[in-house]
Amino acid sequence: MKSKRFVLTFPPEASGEPITYNLIRKFDIMVNIVKADVSPGHIGHLVMEMTAPKKVLEDGMEYMRQHRVECVPIDRKITYNKDLCVHCGACSAVCFAGALTISPQTAELGFDPEKCVVCELCLTACPLKLFRIDIG
Ligand code: SF4
Ligand code: SF4
């Protein structure tokens, strides 16, 4: 079994196929939706964790491609140099996924890697350039 996170991009005109439902029913893939930004008539995005044997995951990805759903694995992770952080909040202001937040109690930056969708906005937002991407 393999668990992997993906960013799914849906075209504005939905094909009518219940993609997520079929991944579960037809392919027997365990699906966990981490974040959804989907509205009719617009490009939609889903961050989804899928768990299945490697070959089944590949078949599921091929199925999505056939329905014009872009499916990009998240192989990278964000790290930052906590020790040099001055808690200015510039990174949390651009982090739409809610992975970076300033605590109302302590006014300090917190990072929840589970929520990160590796959009890379924090890399340019931080004036001290404390963020970096690790591959793998
Ligand atoms: S890469 Fe994007 S989602 Fe992840 S912490 Fe940075 S701004 Fe937030
Ligand atoms: S932008 Fe950089 S210095 Fe400011 S809170 Fe984020 S990590 Fe810390």
Side-chain angles (χ1 to χ4, degrees), residues 77-78 91-92 94-100 111-113 115-123 125 131 133:
K77 67 177 183 190
I78 293 285
C91 58
S92 59
V94 298
C95 181
F96 64 91
L100 292 161
F111 177 45
D112 181 352
K115 291 185 179 169
C116 178
V117 297
V118 201
C119 68
E120 302 182 20
L121 291 176
C122 52
L123 267 72
F131 291 92
I133 292 188

Side-chain angles (χ1 to χ4, degrees), residues 25-46:
R25 300 306 299 232
K26 283 190 183 174
F27 293 89
D28 202 18
I29 295 176
M30 264 164 57
V31 164
N32 176 28
I33 294 174
V34 179
K35 187 173 168 63
D37 177 15
V38 182
S39 53
H42 294 89
I43 292 176
H45 299 281
L46 273 188

Side-chain angles (χ1 to χ4, degrees), residues 80 84-92 102 109 125-128 130-131:
Y80 79 107
L84 296 182
C85 177
V86 295
H87 310 284
C88 68
C91 58
S92 59
I102 295 283
L109 182 72
C126 177
L128 303 180
L130 299 184
F131 291 92

